[in-house]
Amino acid sequence: MKIALDAMGGDFAPQAAVAGALLAAEQLAGRATIVLIGQEDAVRPLLQAAGPAANVLEFVPASQVIDMGEHPAKAFQQKQDSSIAVGYKMLLAGEVDAFCSAGNTGAMLVGAMFTVKTVPGVMRPAIANFLPKLHNNVGILLDVGANAECKPEMLEQFGELGSLYAQHVLGIARPQVGLMNIGEEEGKGTPIIQEAHQRLKANPHIHFVGNIEGRDLFNDKADVIVCDGFTGNIILKMAESIYDAMDEKKIQDPFFDKFNYEAVGGSPILGINDNAIIGHGRSTPRAIGNMLMQGFNMADSGIVDQIKATFKS
């Protein structure tokens, strides 16, 4: 198995990318190879400086970089030899089994939809994020930023996508799916949320447990929480701020340590024809390493085949 990494993506690239790749390569020894994609004059010296440890890494040159502030669609179209574009081309060709990047989020989404494309039957891909649970479990929240506005049908599909991921990657036998709302009652929320509730309730492919309020994010009421990308992104950033505040106050707790983005590494794009993960822009080597491990687990689980089979039927 091969896991590709955009070596030019992130605020601390390529140094953090190379260091993170070395961390992941050590953990994945004998199971997978890390493939770095980036500008040769920037990455080669770092590999040489790492010495023999870097011999296990593969390198593919890409002459261009899509910067964080660039327009995603325009940059992806114009920079076909960028590290993101080359990564997706390798993914499409089957040369790698997963592609990870802490670079331009929009460009990663554009690349996913225009290169490997959306699974037939899926209206829009979703970005998922992990939710630590109080009793040492982990759940999943989606969408967290790909789709600011959603139709009821999209929210229903997010429930299916999240349920499949929870089952096949997180190992939850019968994931409980909840819909983020302003109240538990069935009639609460906007007309879109109310219709999404009815669709999720009637969907035979999932175990829907009803509406979920914000206070239920970290308990065991639901393993999969569905929301639009606008709401999900606010929740995600709020969770990150909790960790940052506690870190600043020198308060340490194993549960709240899980709110640290470094421990998660990245967010999978669900609903596309291959395995792609988006990392945090300020990813450290630890975050990069965990993102690559997540890419390996995603590819190893066969989750994309499960999604294809479900939506084909």
Side-chain angles (χ1 to χ4, degrees), residues 34-237:
I34 306 299
V35 181
L36 289 168
I37 305 168
Q39 293 179 318
E40 191 150 12
D41 58 351
V43 178
R44 283 288 188 194
L46 297 174
L47 295 176
Q48 292 171 357
N55 292 339
V56 296
L57 303 177
E58 293 186 8
F59 175 70
V60 174
S63 63
Q64 298 172 306
V65 177
I66 297 178
D67 295 323
M68 291 294 201
E70 289 192 78
H71 187 279
K74 185 177 180 180
F76 186 84
Q77 184 179 23
Q78 294 180 348
K79 294 185 173 181
Q80 282 296 294
D81 198 44
S82 65
S83 48
I84 290 178
V86 171
Y88 272 120
K89 288 174 185 175
M90 293 180 68
L91 195 60
L92 179 64
E95 297 171 0
V96 296
D97 300 282
F99 176 47
C100 306
S101 174
N104 187 305
T105 298
M108 281 293 289
L109 283 168
V110 169
M113 294 182 68
F114 287 93
T115 307
V116 298
K117 302 187 185 305
T118 305
V119 169
V122 174
M123 296 177 68
R124 289 277 299 183
I127 302 176
N129 203 73
F130 303 102
L131 291 172
K133 298 293 185 174
L134 285 166
H135 300 293
N136 297 319
N137 300 320
V138 62
I140 188 169
L141 173 72
L142 71 167
D143 180 32
V144 296
N147 308 280
E149 296 182 74
C150 294
K151 297 177 180 179
E153 298 92 332
M154 293 167 62
L155 294 171
E156 179 190 4
Q157 289 193 346
F158 294 169
E160 291 191 70
L161 291 170
S163 185
L164 287 166
Y165 191 93
Q167 183 179 354
H168 295 284
V169 182
L170 301 182
I172 302 172
R174 191 167 182 250
Q176 300 184 114
V177 179
L179 176 65
M180 179 56 63
N181 207 337
I182 58 173
E184 295 181 350
E185 297 83 0
E186 192 167 321
K188 285 291 183 74
T190 65
I192 288 175
I193 296 297
Q194 290 178 29
E195 184 180 340
H197 182 108
Q198 296 304 315
R199 286 179 167 274
L200 289 161
K201 183 179 178 181
N203 192 313
H205 300 294
I206 62 173
H207 176 41
F208 184 56
V209 296
N211 291 332
I212 298 294
E213 295 182 288
R215 63 186 175 186
D216 297 314
L217 282 167
F218 309 115
N219 61 30
D220 294 329
K221 193 168 184 179
D223 304 298
V224 178
I225 297 180
V226 174
C227 61
D228 60 70
F230 186 91
T231 303
N233 195 265
I234 290 173
I235 292 172
L236 173 62
K237 299 297 172 59

Side-chain angles (χ1 to χ4, degrees), residues 1 3 28 31-32 98 292-301:
M1 184 182 296
I3 312 299
L28 292 171
R31 294 185 292 165
L292 289 165
M293 292 300 300
Q294 195 184 131
F296 170 80
N297 291 333
M298 191 175 178
D300 190 53
S301 72

